[in-house]
Amino acid sequence: MAKRLATEYVNAKLQLKHEEMARFITFMEDQQLRLQVLVLDNGNQELVLQDVAGREEVRLTFERQQDYYVCELSCRLVEPRLTNAMRKAVSAYRGNAIVNRIYSHYTMIYYYRNGAVHKIVESIASGERVVFEHKDTLGQLERVFNSRLVEREIGLINGAVNELLDLRNQTIDRAEIAEIDGRLKELTHKLFVLEA
């Protein structure tokens, strides 16, 4: 099994509500890291996370933006405990990030959106290949189902229009023709809306 050399977080972003910030600090304490919390100007907070051996640290600066604490971060980590804590934090707190897991001969690139991995790409010297990509199958099925309902309704309206046109051609009474024309106008408008 290949040994991971480093993990890079590229443009990672965590956005926590005020109540979530205290839970986030407790979460990081539970990861068996040395944790230091600094309160900065304007209510901003900086968390300094350090692995137990003290060989590596990362600083997470959370800026106060209205009702949220927002942390944007790019860093390179080597120590497994710190790396795993960051991975869990991005996942648990619905973060967005591009994470490069670097091995000796290749790099695995993970794309996180709202805490979930949406795409994994293997990058080697000769190029890249997609290993995994999240597909919204349920959403696609719903869209297909809804489009078929619209197509069915368009077919029904076309049938009704044809019947009304046949009836109009057979009718002599002007009042009936006016009533048929009114219904045709309504159905034509419905068709226009459905086909748009």
Side-chain angles (χ1 to χ4, degrees):
M1 186 168 158
K3 184 179 185 313
R4 183 170 36 206
L5 302 176
T7 301
E8 289 179 335
Y9 283 83
V10 182
N11 298 327
K13 183 176 182 180
L14 293 170
Q15 184 170 311
L16 308 177
K17 291 183 179 176
H18 184 69
E19 315 83 57
E20 290 179 308
M21 192 64 191
R23 287 197 305 268
F24 182 79
I25 292 170
T26 304
F27 174 83
M28 283 304 187
E29 287 172 340
D30 293 343
Q31 302 306 308
Q32 299 175 349
L33 299 169
R34 288 192 187 129
L35 175 68
Q36 189 177 17
V37 180
L38 307 168
V39 178
L40 307 173
D41 296 336
N42 302 327
N44 296 344
Q45 293 188 25
E46 185 171 83
L47 275 64
V48 180
L49 305 172
Q50 195 174 53
D51 72 312
V52 179
R55 292 179 290 201
E56 185 174 53
E57 75 175 28
V58 65
R59 292 177 178 267
L60 306 176
T61 302
F62 285 89
E63 291 184 18
R64 188 84 192 246
Q65 296 177 4
Q66 293 159 353
D67 294 337
Y68 291 95
Y69 285 99
V70 179
C71 174
E72 293 184 8
L73 167 77
S74 292
C75 66
R76 182 181 178 102
L77 302 171
V78 176
E79 295 301 318
R81 188 164 288 171
L82 198 49
T83 301
N84 286 333
M86 285 300 299
R87 178 184 51 78
K88 289 177 185 177
V90 168
S91 185
Y93 289 90
R94 300 171 313 281
N96 296 321
I98 299 171
V99 180
N100 297 323
R101 294 191 174 125
I102 302 166
Y103 298 88
S104 59
H105 299 298
Y106 63 96
T107 299
M108 298 300 286
I109 306 167
Y110 290 71
Y111 295 86
Y112 285 85
R113 193 178 324 138
N114 293 324
V117 176
H118 278 264
K119 188 175 182 180
I120 302 173
V121 175
E122 179 185 36
S123 177
I124 56 176
S126 61
E128 293 184 345
R129 81 177 171 94
V130 175
V131 175
F132 165 79
E133 190 162 12
H134 173 76
K135 294 194 175 29
D136 183 17
T137 308
L138 181 61
Q140 289 173 341
L141 289 174
E142 284 178 7
R143 286 188 289 280
V144 167
F145 178 75
N146 289 334
S147 72
R148 288 196 177 147
L149 284 177
V150 169
E151 289 170 3
R152 186 170 172 218
E153 190 171 354
I154 288 172
L156 291 172
I157 291 173
N158 279 332
V161 165
N162 288 336
E163 287 178 22
L164 285 171
L165 288 173
D166 289 342
L167 186 62
R168 187 180 192 284
N169 288 335
Q170 296 168 3
T171 303
I172 303 169
D173 184 18
R174 290 191 182 274
E176 275 187 59
I177 290 174
E179 184 180 325
I180 291 170
D181 286 346
R183 289 173 40 204
L184 282 169
K185 186 177 180 181
E186 289 173 17
L187 291 175
T188 304
H189 179 71
K190 277 187 182 179
L191 274 176
F192 178 76
V193 169
L194 288 172
E195 289 177 348

